[in-house]
Amino acid sequence: MDLPSLPDAPPVEPPEPGLPAAWMPDHWTHPEVVQVGPHHHLRPIRATDVDLDLTAVRGSRERLWSIYGTVWSWPPADLTREQDLEDLVRHAAEHEEHESFTYALFDAEETTLLGCVYIDPPGRAGADADVSWWVVDDLVGTELESRLGAFVPAWVASAWPLRRPRFIGRDLTWDAWLALPEQEAGA
């Protein structure tokens, strides 16, 4: 399978090992829109995406709970529009502050939200980021899910100032992640 071309990333020097460091370098700029093949792209999720996000999450709720429920208690069975809007407002604020990054996967016209990619500070020792992603139920087992699964690690390696990203659901399960020691503050 041919991977879509990755954006040219400016050179970024990750923090030196052993030195206290912020989650992301001050001078670094996060990617805005990233093509995932000819008809799909990732971009930071926004509060205005609430109706598309709510449809995607509710339509895939049982599977998403099986992935994220134990760790994030998400998505709740009775997720309301207001709760989802609060989540999206928080995600957008975290994104702008470089605290955490949530990208939505869209079709070219942005009429359908098809999944999300999360790039978070590590919650457990052994990595400098925890990365996970999902697609809606209708895309499980499809070429787009496979493309996203190949694309995300390559994109993170080329465009993000990370040395040891951990791909949860690929490198290890959430249960294995939970068994790891917690990340120490400032580590």
Side-chain angles (χ1 to χ4, degrees), residues 1 15 44 49 52 55 63 77 89 104 113 117 173:
M1 158 188 11
D49 298 323
L52 296 175
T55 299
R63 188 173 53 79
V89 167
L113 191 148
V117 175
T173 65

Side-chain angles (χ1 to χ4, degrees), residues 124-144:
R124 297 289 192 261
D128 59 0
D130 287 331
V131 182
S132 66
W133 61 90
W134 59 270
V135 296
V136 295
D137 283 358
D138 288 347
L139 291 178
V140 172
T142 66
E143 192 268 333
L144 180 57

Side-chain angles (χ1 to χ4, degrees), residues 30-67:
H30 62 268
E32 285 296 330
V33 176
V34 184
Q35 286 302 122
V36 181
H39 306 293
H40 301 94
H41 64 273
L42 294 169
R43 71 150 167 81
I45 201 160
R46 305 187 278 245
T48 55
D49 298 323
V50 66
D51 293 321
L52 296 175
D53 185 64
L54 192 59
T55 299
V57 171
R58 283 182 176 167
S60 302
R61 193 254 169 217
E62 293 302 319
R63 188 173 53 79
L64 291 175
W65 182 264
S66 75
I67 298 168

